[in-house]
Amino acid sequence: MGTVTIGVSIAVPEPHGSLLQERRAGFGDPAAHGIPTHVTLLPPTEVDASALPAVEAHLISVAAAGRPFPMRLSGTGTFRPLSPVVFVQVMAGGSACSWLQERVRDASGPMARELQFPYHPHVTVAHGISEEAMDRAYEELSEYEAEWPCTGFALYEQGADGVWRKLRDFAFGGSVVPPQAPAPAARGTLPAR
């Protein structure tokens, strides 16, 4: 059956997700249109395709223990020089994201793994591009603000084309949300250029 590359994340809802994805593309990041805008809970992880039912069962359990929480993005940060990344900061909801990612990667579960870097919830807006473009992303989004109620997370699979596609949503409290469910109401601002 082979292996698949999966990830678990909290989607940044519309209109913010598309806006930040377009900005990421505008900074010259070639991966922008293949990666939905998100806060990572499990980075790209290779698993046996036959493990997907166990993965979904585990995520249902994690979601059942979770509760909705406010998410707020504000301003920018960077992992440079350690890693060539500029991101929008998670100013509210970070501790809930940390709690979730620990349970997603639980040693007794099907996605147990160590992280390359300590967990830091964020929304990537530039990765692996020129220093000038990274500086521009850092400056132009420095006053970016968005907030919404986080009500769950999703499982994604990376296709052979490098594009990440949602497999399933998991709502807090244990219900599974169909992928076509409407996004929660969101609000945010982007300063004029």
Side-chain angles (χ1 to χ4, degrees):
M1 202 173 196
T3 62
V4 293
T5 301
I6 61 169
V8 178
S9 64
I10 296 169
V12 174
E14 296 304 331
H16 315 298
S18 293
L19 184 145
L20 289 174
Q21 190 174 42
E22 288 304 317
R23 294 303 304 270
R24 184 172 179 173
F27 297 131
D29 191 328
H33 289 294
I35 305 172
T37 308
H38 67 281
V39 176
T40 299
L41 298 176
L42 176 77
T45 301
E46 193 172 301
V47 298
D48 193 282
S50 65
L52 283 177
V55 164
E56 290 190 8
H58 175 67
L59 294 176
I60 288 170
S61 174
V62 171
R67 296 294 172 261
F69 59 92
M71 285 283 286
R72 185 168 66 86
L73 307 180
S74 181
T76 51
T78 184
F79 294 132
R80 296 184 291 174
L82 186 60
S83 181
V85 172
V86 170
F87 56 86
V88 174
Q89 298 186 72
V90 173
M91 298 304 286
S95 60
C97 291
S98 293
W99 183 88
L100 285 167
Q101 66 88 26
E102 286 175 3
R103 275 136 193 91
V104 167
R105 295 184 307 102
D106 187 85
S108 66
M111 296 171 287
R113 65 165 286 180
E114 294 296 318
L115 298 178
Q116 183 179 359
F117 300 104
Y119 182 73
H120 181 87
H122 65 280
V123 177
T124 299
V125 290
H127 181 241
I129 57 177
S130 73
E131 288 297 317
E132 295 79 18
M134 299 264 269
D135 290 342
R136 205 174 99 224
Y138 187 89
E139 291 166 16
E140 289 184 15
L141 293 173
S142 66
E143 294 181 36
Y144 183 79
E145 299 277 339
E147 60 185 280
W148 68 92
C150 180
T151 58
F153 55 83
L155 172 65
Y156 292 81
E157 180 179 343
Q158 186 178 36
D161 57 1
V163 174
W164 287 91
R165 293 175 180 86
K166 187 186 301 184
L167 296 179
R168 188 169 179 180
D169 284 298
F170 299 87
F172 295 136
S175 58
V176 178
V177 179
Q180 64 272 26
R187 57 189 191 100
T189 60
L190 183 65
R193 290 195 235 187

